[in-house]
């Protein structure tokens, strides 16, 4: 066996669904050496009090995130399309059920 | 943009009560302060398992044993939440543990005192966890997002810890004379070290300035200590135990308790390694870490083998 480094394993991000039908929310991270260990460690760490009905674990390095310094320009295209919001429209007084 | 300009922008975000997230620009000193404080916090949770773990096999009933097991498991969990949050600052778990083993990173001095009787399990849950809750409730509003979020989760779990400790004290206090004495003895020994958990007086706390400016700390050591005392005194009275401080007295004007001076020589001596259990606690952690080395290597090797096929 080749010399294996003594590490704490890979970093995994943990997402928990608190109730069926609700979105999965980031709960934190966990160290583990493989998928099976990751999901078991995540269960022991983040759901000791019935916090979860569903759980995802994802290798942290597989997550693609927006670069913090690019945030402004990255999300900029949404700022100039105010007509995407329902409050943009001028509608006759007395309109109901819309 | 120059470093000074960045620092001004950073302070503006802090002043506007914005949370700082891992990939945001932050002053190097802010990062360093957080790594020091958060790793010390995480190490405290983990080392804190030792005095209580020691009593699992000697718990007086199956009920007490199950509760203590669950509590110690929670402490491990708290350590891991905070380690994970600390790692978002760009430091590895290996390095955090290495710094602990080298004595470069500290943990709460309270765990350098021995847990001598079952009464200590009560006093630790009630007072040590109680002091930690007072501190952690305040830290829920800390400026670093991952730290604040880990505090929210920890505070939800800690209230069970404090209640289980107080229940032990209440049971002992209404038991036989010997049992009541055991509870009082534990209170006598744990009270002052618990007050020391809040750290030195604000006037002797050199890092408080930056920590408050950056909203890492939201309230000062002395404010938190006073809050803890004010809410704990009546809890002791309720079960007929006496807080070991002859100077403890209600101050009508301040609406708070006056209390005696803490033995700061003892505080600094334990911080610097002179407590009754400093060497034992650290050696135990080193041994457990070393004993687990083959497991980590086997797991890594297994994962490597299976990722190839």
């Amino acid at each position: 066996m080749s010399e294996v480094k003594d590490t704490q394993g890979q970093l995994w991000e943990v997402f928990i669904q608190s109730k069926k039908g609700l979105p999965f929310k980031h709960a934190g991270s966990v160290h583990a050496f493989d998928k099976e260990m990751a999901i078991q460690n995540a269960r022991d760490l983040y759901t000791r009090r019935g916090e979860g009905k569903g759980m995802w674990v994802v290798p942290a390095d597989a997550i693609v995130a927006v670069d913090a310094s690019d945030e402004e320009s990255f999300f900029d295209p949404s700022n100039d399309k105010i007509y995407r919001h329902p409050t943009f429209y001028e509608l006759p007084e007395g309109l109901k059920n819309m | 943009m120059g470093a000074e300009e960045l620092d001004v922008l950073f302070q503006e975000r802090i002043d506007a009560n914005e949370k700082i997230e891992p990939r945001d620009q932050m002053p190097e000193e802010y990062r360093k302060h957080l790594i020091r404080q958060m790793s010390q916090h995480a190490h405290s949770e983990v080392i804190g398992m030792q005095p209580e773990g020691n009593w699992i096999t000697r718990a007086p009933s199956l009920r007490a044993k199950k509760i203590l097991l669950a509590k110690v498991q929670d402490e491990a969990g708290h350590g891991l939440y905070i380690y994970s949050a600390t790692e978002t600052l760009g430091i590895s778990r290996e390095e955090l543990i290495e710094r602990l083993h080298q004595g470069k990173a500290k943990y709460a001095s309270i765990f350098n005192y021995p847990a001598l009787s079952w009464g200590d399990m009560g006093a630790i849950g009630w007072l040590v966890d109680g002091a930690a809750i007072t501190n952690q409730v305040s830290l829920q509003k800390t400026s670093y997002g991952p730290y604040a979020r880990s505090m929210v989760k920890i505070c939800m779990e800690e209230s069970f810890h404090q209640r289980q400790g107080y229940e032990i004290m209440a049971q002992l206090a209404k038991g036989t004379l010997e049992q009541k004495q055991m509870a009082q003895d534990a209170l006598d020994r744990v009270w002052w070290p618990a007050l020391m958990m809040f750290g030195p007086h604000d006037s002797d706390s050199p890092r408080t300035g930056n920590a408050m400016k950056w909203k890492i700390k939201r309230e000062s050591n002395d404010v938190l200590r006073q809050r803890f005392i004010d809410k704990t005194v009546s809890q002791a009275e309720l079960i007929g135990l006496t807080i070991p401080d002859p100077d403890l007295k209600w101050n009508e004007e301040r609406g708070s308790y006056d209390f005696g001076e803490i033995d700061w020589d003892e505080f600094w001596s334990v911080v610097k390694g002179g407590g009754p259990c400093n060497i034992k606690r650290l050696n135990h952690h080193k041994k457990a870490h070393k004993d687990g080395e083959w497991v980590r290597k086997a797991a890594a090797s297994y994962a490597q083998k299976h990722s190839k096929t």
Side-chain angles (χ1 to χ4, degrees):
Chain A
M1 190 176 87
S2 61
E3 186 55 29
V4 179
K5 232 180 125 212
D6 180 18
T7 73
Q8 300 279 311
Q10 197 184 347
L11 191 66
W12 304 70
E13 297 299 333
V14 181
F15 298 84
I16 293 173
Q17 184 188 36
S18 60
K19 242 169 142 180
K20 292 278 177 217
L22 290 181
F24 283 68
K25 245 174 88 179
H26 185 238
S29 48
V30 73
H31 284 256
F33 289 90
D34 58 30
K35 293 179 196 175
E36 200 185 344
M37 190 187 282
I39 203 122
Q40 282 172 359
N41 285 1
R43 175 199 60 195
D44 292 347
L45 189 53
Y46 290 102
T47 60
R48 289 193 301 278
R49 290 175 173 80
E51 292 93 333
K53 284 279 175 278
M55 182 187 277
W56 299 337
V57 291
V58 184
D61 59 13
I63 290 180
V64 183
V66 180
D67 194 315
S69 58
D70 289 345
E71 256 166 46
E72 211 167 313
S73 61
F74 186 84
F75 292 110
D76 185 56
S78 72
N79 293 334
D80 57 2
K81 296 178 185 65
I82 45 171
Y83 44 85
R84 280 194 165 142
H85 298 278
T87 48
F88 174 78
Y89 296 92
E90 284 173 33
L91 302 172
E93 296 249 341
L95 175 74
K96 281 179 186 160
N97 300 326
M98 186 182 278
Chain B
M1 215 182 288
E4 268 175 47
E5 227 173 311
L6 285 172
D7 286 355
V8 171
L9 283 179
F10 179 80
Q11 193 60 45
E12 278 172 10
R13 292 192 60 196
I14 295 285
D15 294 341
N17 282 325
E18 275 184 43
K19 293 276 185 243
I20 306 302
E21 294 299 332
R23 297 147 57 87
D24 295 352
Q25 190 278 325
M26 62 184 86
E28 200 44 37
E29 282 304 311
Y30 177 82
R31 184 188 302 275
K32 276 194 197 152
H33 189 110
L34 277 173
I35 289 176
R36 183 176 51 235
Q37 179 172 334
M38 291 168 71
S39 66
Q40 175 169 341
H41 198 159
H43 296 324
S44 302
E45 300 281 358
V46 170
I47 297 286
M49 292 193 290
Q50 290 185 39
E52 290 181 309
N54 186 34
W55 278 92
I56 290 173
T57 53
R58 290 177 287 163
S61 69
L62 184 58
R63 177 182 185 271
K65 187 175 192 163
K66 280 160 68 181
I67 291 169
L68 193 57
L69 263 172
K71 180 182 190 284
V72 172
Q73 190 193 14
D74 271 357
E75 304 299 1
H78 296 175
L80 295 181
Y81 303 152
I82 310 172
Y83 280 133
S84 295
T86 315
E87 287 169 75
T88 63
L89 292 159
I91 185 165
S92 71
R93 183 79 58 93
E94 287 86 0
E95 197 174 345
L96 291 170
I97 294 171
E98 203 176 287
R99 285 187 187 183
L100 173 69
H101 288 175
Q102 291 167 342
K104 287 182 191 162
K106 302 239 178 278
Y107 55 86
S109 282
I110 188 87
F111 302 119
N112 289 321
Y113 292 86
L116 299 178
S117 75
W118 181 248
D120 290 43
M121 294 303 97
I124 288 175
W126 175 33
L127 302 171
V128 176
D129 289 69
I133 291 170
T134 308
N135 189 27
Q136 288 168 161
V137 164
S138 182
L139 283 172
Q140 289 180 359
K141 290 181 292 197
T142 188
S143 59
Y144 189 55
Y147 195 23
R149 291 191 284 275
S150 68
M151 286 304 110
V152 171
K153 188 157 174 59
I154 287 176
C155 284
M156 279 191 300
E157 301 184 352
E158 289 279 7
S159 62
F160 135 59
H161 297 177
Q162 198 188 14
R163 280 161 174 252
Q164 68 85 30
Y166 189 70
E167 189 195 71
I168 291 173
M169 291 302 257
Q171 280 171 343
L172 289 174
K174 68 176 181 206
T176 63
L177 187 63
E178 284 83 359
Q179 286 170 332
K180 186 167 183 184
Q181 273 166 353
M182 184 186 276
Q184 183 62 49
D185 168 63
L187 170 58
D188 290 348
R189 283 181 292 104
V190 175
W191 176 253
W192 291 103
L195 295 192
M196 293 178 199
M197 285 174 70
F198 295 97
H201 281 313
D202 299 340
S203 50
D204 300 323
S205 181
R207 295 196 186 104
T208 294
N210 270 341
M212 298 290 270
K213 182 181 90 180
W214 289 325
K215 296 188 179 171
I216 293 173
K217 274 180 84 109
R218 304 305 305 260
E219 290 167 294
S220 75
N221 297 351
D222 287 328
V223 166
L224 293 167
R225 181 163 26 236
Q226 182 75 58
R227 182 174 303 148
F228 170 71
I229 291 170
D230 288 346
K231 65 182 178 189
T232 306
V233 174
S234 70
Q235 295 170 358
E237 285 167 355
L238 185 66
I239 52 176
L241 296 179
T242 309
I243 288 176
D245 179 358
D247 297 323
L248 189 75
K249 210 176 129 210
W250 178 251
N251 183 325
E252 193 66 53
E253 211 172 292
R254 289 201 306 128
S256 269
Y257 282 92
D258 290 336
F259 55 98
E261 195 51 65
I262 287 166
D263 182 350
W264 294 111
D265 291 340
E266 178 183 324
F267 172 81
W268 289 114
S269 150
V270 181
V271 168
K272 288 175 184 150
C277 302
N278 293 58
I279 294 165
K280 187 176 162 194
R281 299 292 187 233
L282 202 55
N283 281 347
H284 184 85
H285 192 282
K286 284 180 189 165
K287 181 176 183 300
H289 190 69
K290 189 153 186 358
D291 289 350
E293 188 183 342
W294 72 269
V295 180
R296 293 188 295 276
K297 285 195 169 176
S301 176
Y302 179 84
Q304 206 176 40
K305 193 170 138 198
H306 284 258
S307 68
K308 279 181 197 148
T309 53

